[in-house]
């Protein structure tokens, strides 16, 4: 059976001032439709590189990336990205930021429908009240919510998130994780999310893709998170299976891929 | 107001003690009011704080008002001293004041091309600056965008700009006169040259300073070239563009005076030089004051535009 998203023998070599740098070597990954994947690994191992190849922002040096059996060539709104630093345009309001994406992907739809779609997606992330604010006037967590709304509004085939909550404090991060789970339960998107937070990976994902250290990083292990949904962080805290899964990721990261830092 | 609010919250903490001690050594009268309530009720030091805030406000007001006035007073004193003891032909401040009132009483008289009021002189100068500045914006801003967006254009133009930028724009005046064979377009040409470098360079810098994130957003949305410029590059670069415009307008206003001294005809620079030929030093002093005043107004206008357009300040 062919996968929805299929990375085959991906190599990535960067040309740097000090010569060639082989970041990824022979990365193979199959993702099914509606799956939520977490990509975890030590900083600098090549997680963003994998995600950017799927986004089309980078071209793999070798191998192919297929989405719905078609080769990925260049970026496009069917692979929406939520960037770590929100990357909202500061001269546009919250709703205008989302509208920019909606106008692009729903160019053929009437204006009223597009406006409603903007508000619908802001409601999904609980940001409709801030629709007319500018990014400079809202908190980091709220900006990230808007970034998610903008990505969701594109109705992407794959939603890509690069450490979306990495810059947030623990409490805000927990709120956003809950929102992501709530949205995922409603929309059942195919999601590839980079994180360096083990609890986040176990809480949110169906499978955890663990990457080895670079250079020439590749996928070390894949852990299936067979915790039933809906998941609640408080209940999971007492769940021995949750702790077992968490322990497996930690073991991979801190024993098998111990990083001398 | 905000800063004061913060100070209020600080007072009950550990920092209040050294503060009061500081006041003790400087102004003993305050210590009595401070020491008494401190022992009875802890809430009482607030009036003292308000006193201090008020005194700070008064002090700032005095400083911002009094110090500049003091400077002007010193200048006028030095001026009078020069008039009395050094160069009697240099007009006294009072003479200049009377002369200024005469001239400013009727700034817009017009008795033929060689005799117009100072208002007209200013209008002509401002008009030339506006024309040169506008033309430079029309050419310089698109050029700056092209340089910022394309390495090729950047590499092609950069050496030329580096060579021409440090040249006094007045050096171009003969070329203007040769090309246009008339005074007015030559002066406008000089202002054009003055304004174009800061505009090109700032615009190009602004385009290159656009965060990669914005470009990634544009890429994911597959914005076309025109949309990319309109929706992302232009708004992101606007603060830089306006800064370049503000810089160039400031220099242009300096250059136009010199250019008009050379070209003659009409304009505040020419008027200043003409008055010098008539040994009318009072007029020159007046012109210096007016040129400075107009310069401030132009800069304030651009500063206002800058604040309006800079999204980081909204
Ligand atoms: N454009 C590039 N040019 C050169 N080296 C790069 C480039 N992008 C990433 N790298 C290198 O590739 C490795 C993986 O980077 P990245 O994918 O950003 O790691 P991660 O997201 O896991 O922290 C790092 O060593 C990084 O320095
Ligand atoms: Mg990264």
């Amino acid at each position: 059976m062919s996968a929805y998203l299929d990375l085959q023998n991906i190599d990535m070599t960067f040309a740097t001032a000090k010569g060639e740098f082989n970041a990824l070597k022979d990365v193979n990954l199959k993702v099914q439709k509606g799956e939520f994947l977490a990509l975890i690994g030590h900083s600098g191992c090549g997680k963003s590189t994998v995600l950017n190849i799927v986004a089309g922002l980078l071209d793999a040096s070798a191998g192919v990336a297929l989405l719905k059996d078609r080769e990925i060539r260049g970026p496009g709104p069917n692979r929406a990205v939520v960037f770590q630093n929100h990357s909202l345009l500061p001269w546009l309001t919250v709703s205008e930021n989302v509208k920019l994406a909606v106008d692009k992907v729903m160019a053929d739809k009437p204006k009223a429908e597009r406006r409603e779609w903007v508000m619908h997606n802001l409601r999904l992330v609980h940001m409709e009240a801030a629709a007319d604010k500018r990014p400079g006037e809202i908190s980091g967590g709220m900006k990230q919510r808007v970034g998610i709304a903008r990505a969701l509004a594109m109705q992407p085939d794959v939603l890509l998130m690069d450490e979306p909550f990495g810059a947030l404090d623990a409490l805000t991060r927990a709120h956003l994780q809950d929102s992501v789970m709530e949205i995922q339960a409603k929309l059942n998107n195919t999601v590839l999310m980079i994180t360096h937070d083990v609890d986040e990976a176990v809480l949110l994902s169906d499978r955890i893709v663990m990457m080895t250290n670079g250079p020439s990083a590749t996928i070390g292990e894949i852990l299936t998170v067979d915790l039933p949904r809906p998941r609640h962080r408080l209940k999971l805290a007492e769940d021995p299976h949750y702790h077992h899964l968490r322990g497996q990721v930690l073991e991979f990261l801190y024993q098998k891929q111990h990083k001398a830092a | 107001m905000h800063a004061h609010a913060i100070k209020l919250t600080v007072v009950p903490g550990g920092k209040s003690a050294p503060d009061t001690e500081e006041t003790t050594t400087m102004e003993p009268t305050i210590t009595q009011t401070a020491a008494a309530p401190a022992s009875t009720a802890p809430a009482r030091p607030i009036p003292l704080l308000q006193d201090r805030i008020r005194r700070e406000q008064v002090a700032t007001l005095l400083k911002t008002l009094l110090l500049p006035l003091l400077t002007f007073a010193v200048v006028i004193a030095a001026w009078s001293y020069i008039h009395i003891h050094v160069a009697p032909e240099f007009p006294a401040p009072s003479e200049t004041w009377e002369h200024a009132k005469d001239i400013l009483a009727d700034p817009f008289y017009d008795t033929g091309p060689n005799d117009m009021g100072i208002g007209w002189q200013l209008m002509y100068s401002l008009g030339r600056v506006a024309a040169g500045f506008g033309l430079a914006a029309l050419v310089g801003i698109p050029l700056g965008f092209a340089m910022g967006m394309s390495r090729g254009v950047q590499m092609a133009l950069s050496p030329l700009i580096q060579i021409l930028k440090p040249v006094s724009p007045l050096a171009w005046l003969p070329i203007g006169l040769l090309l246009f064979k008339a005074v007015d377009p030559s002066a406008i040409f000089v202002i054009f040259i003055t304004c174009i470098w800061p505009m090109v360079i700032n615009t190009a810098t602004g385009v290159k300073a656009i965060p990669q994130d914005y470009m990634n957003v544009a890429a994911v949305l597959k914005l076309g070239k025109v949309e990319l410029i309109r929706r992302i590059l232009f708004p992101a670069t606007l603060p830089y563009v306006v800064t370049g415009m503000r810089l160039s307008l400031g220099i242009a206003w300096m250059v136009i005076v010199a250019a008009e001294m050379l070209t003659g005809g009409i304009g505040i620079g020419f008027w200043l030089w003409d008055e010098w030929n008539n040994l009318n030093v009072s007029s020159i002093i007046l012109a210096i004051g007016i040129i400075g005043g107009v310069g401030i107004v132009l800069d304030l206008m651009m500063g206002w535009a800058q604040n309006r357009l800079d999204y980081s300040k909204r």
Side-chain angles (χ1 to χ4, degrees):
Chain A
M1 197 186 91
S2 80
Y4 188 69
L5 173 68
D6 194 354
L7 306 185
Q8 296 175 357
N9 313 100
I10 299 276
D11 276 26
M12 187 72 211
T13 303
F14 291 109
T16 70
K18 283 183 251 160
E20 297 203 329
F21 177 81
N22 181 239
L24 298 177
K25 181 120 190 84
D26 204 25
V27 171
N28 287 282
L29 181 65
K30 290 186 193 308
V31 184
Q32 299 307 325
K33 189 168 169 32
E35 253 193 314
F36 195 119
L37 252 67
L39 203 59
I40 202 165
H42 287 290
S43 140
C45 72
K47 304 181 293 294
S48 295
T49 306
V50 171
L51 186 122
N52 286 335
I53 288 171
V54 178
L57 294 168
L58 282 176
D59 275 333
S61 313
V64 281
L66 300 171
L67 176 61
K68 300 206 264 189
D69 296 321
R70 288 178 54 186
E71 193 176 346
I72 289 172
R73 283 184 186 278
N78 66 330
R79 282 151 291 131
V81 187
V82 178
F83 300 95
Q84 174 167 6
N85 32 4
H86 69 82
S87 64
L88 299 179
L89 304 175
W91 53 89
L92 298 180
T93 64
V94 160
S95 63
E96 285 167 344
N97 264 286
V98 180
K99 185 173 176 289
L100 182 68
V102 170
D103 285 348
K104 197 64 201 170
V105 293
M106 294 172 69
D108 50 336
K109 297 278 164 47
K111 210 170 173 176
E113 190 177 329
R114 278 182 274 161
R115 193 176 321 123
E116 177 44 38
W117 185 242
V118 169
M119 289 317 287
H120 171 80
N121 282 281
L122 285 177
R123 276 194 292 275
L124 267 182
V125 297
H126 309 294
M127 284 301 294
E128 67 272 29
D132 295 326
K133 293 228 165 80
R134 280 180 207 281
E137 301 167 330
I138 60 178
S139 70
M142 291 160 103
K143 283 180 209 160
Q144 212 49 274
R145 284 180 187 274
V146 179
I148 293 171
R150 177 174 64 186
L152 291 174
M154 299 180 210
Q155 294 183 279
D157 296 327
V158 191
L159 178 61
L160 304 168
M161 302 202 265
D162 192 346
E163 301 192 26
F165 313 137
L168 304 177
D169 63 273
L171 201 61
T172 310
R173 183 190 297 212
H175 282 305
L176 273 133
Q177 289 164 350
D178 290 342
S179 283
V180 165
M181 282 195 285
E182 176 194 323
I183 292 164
Q184 185 60 10
K186 274 186 207 162
L187 305 181
N188 204 30
N189 276 313
T190 309
V191 185
L192 196 57
M193 170 170 160
I194 296 178
T195 178
H196 51 226
D197 180 336
V198 177
D199 291 294
E200 183 170 279
V202 180
L203 179 68
L204 296 181
S205 60
D206 300 313
R207 284 193 295 155
I208 301 176
V209 178
M210 294 176 266
M211 287 186 66
T212 63
N213 289 342
S216 304
T218 190
I219 292 169
E221 286 177 29
I222 297 182
L223 179 74
T224 302
V225 183
D226 47 0
L227 294 166
R229 295 182 190 266
R231 298 172 184 168
H232 301 283
R233 66 179 69 243
L234 289 178
K235 284 183 196 148
L236 286 179
E238 294 152 16
D239 183 338
H241 189 50
Y242 170 81
H243 287 284
H244 171 73
L245 293 166
R246 198 175 167 274
Q248 280 188 292
V249 181
L250 286 171
E251 191 191 328
F252 177 88
L253 287 177
Y254 297 105
Q255 287 184 2
K256 297 177 191 165
Q257 292 298 320
H258 180 73
K259 193 167 183 176
Chain B
M1 286 312 280
H2 192 229
H4 298 148
I6 290 169
K7 275 186 190 153
L8 267 168
T9 60
V10 166
V11 162
K15 264 200 161 180
S16 59
D19 263 3
T20 13
E21 262 187 19
E22 217 170 69
T23 11
T24 314
T25 47
M26 291 194 316
E27 285 169 72
T29 42
I30 304 292
T31 358
Q32 293 173 350
T33 44
S39 52
T40 50
R44 288 287 290 278
I46 299 295
L48 171 70
L49 184 81
Q50 280 170 345
D51 271 3
R52 216 176 71 194
I53 291 167
R54 193 158 308 130
R55 270 186 296 135
E56 268 170 26
Q57 282 172 337
V58 172
T60 342
L61 192 74
L62 285 181
K63 271 184 217 155
T64 48
L65 219 72
L66 228 53
L67 290 180
L69 281 176
L70 193 70
T71 309
F72 280 114
V74 170
V75 168
I76 287 173
W79 177 359
S80 304
Y81 180 86
I82 290 171
H83 168 68
I84 297 165
H85 297 286
V86 184
E89 67 273 22
F90 202 80
S94 55
E95 275 174 65
T96 310
W97 177 244
E98 291 305 321
H99 182 66
K101 280 201 287 192
D102 276 355
I103 288 182
L104 294 177
D106 187 11
F108 288 105
Y109 75 86
D110 182 355
T111 55
N114 292 322
D115 191 16
M116 287 188 187
I118 192 163
W120 285 122
Q121 310 286 348
L122 269 177
M123 287 300 151
Y124 272 89
S125 301
L126 284 170
R128 287 174 187 137
V129 167
F133 177 82
L135 285 173
L138 281 180
V139 178
I141 294 169
L143 209 59
F145 268 100
M147 274 179 74
M149 287 167 71
S150 148
R151 252 193 97 65
V153 179
Q154 159 90 22
M155 271 153 61
L157 292 182
S158 202
L160 183 73
I161 292 176
Q162 294 308 322
I163 291 171
L164 296 183
K165 191 178 63 130
V167 177
S168 164
L170 290 166
W172 291 83
L173 185 59
I175 295 181
L177 289 167
L178 188 79
L179 285 177
F180 301 108
K181 303 198 167 52
V183 164
D184 235 5
S186 307
I188 291 171
F189 174 67
V190 167
I191 296 303
F192 171 83
I193 296 286
T194 306
C195 294
I196 195 150
W197 311 129
M199 289 191 195
V200 170
I201 292 167
N202 267 56
T203 306
T205 308
V207 173
K208 278 184 280 185
I210 293 176
Q212 185 59 40
D213 283 342
Y214 300 171
M215 302 309 278
N216 284 343
V217 170
V220 168
L221 288 177
K222 276 191 164 168
L223 296 185
K225 201 97 179 164
V226 176
E227 270 179 307
L228 177 70
I229 292 175
R230 198 170 71 84
R231 308 300 302 261
I232 311 253
L233 297 189
F234 190 72
T237 315
L238 202 54
Y240 288 83
V241 175
V242 182
T243 303
M245 292 172 90
R246 186 177 185 178
L247 281 173
S248 61
L249 190 61
I251 311 168
W253 186 239
M254 292 205 269
V255 167
I256 192 65
V257 175
E260 286 169 347
M261 283 183 184
L262 293 169
T263 58
I266 192 167
I268 189 72
F270 163 73
W271 187 81
L272 196 156
W273 196 249
D274 200 38
E275 295 297 292
W276 164 240
N277 285 333
N278 301 333
L279 284 176
N280 217 336
V281 182
S282 290
S283 295
I284 294 171
I285 296 170
L286 172 66
I288 289 174
I290 288 176
I291 293 167
V294 171
I296 290 177
V297 171
L298 292 177
D299 194 58
L300 284 177
M301 277 163 50
M302 290 310 289
W304 176 83
Q306 216 172 6
N307 280 331
R308 279 298 305 271
L309 295 172
D310 191 345
Y311 47 83
S312 63
K313 289 180 188 158
R314 280 199 296 230

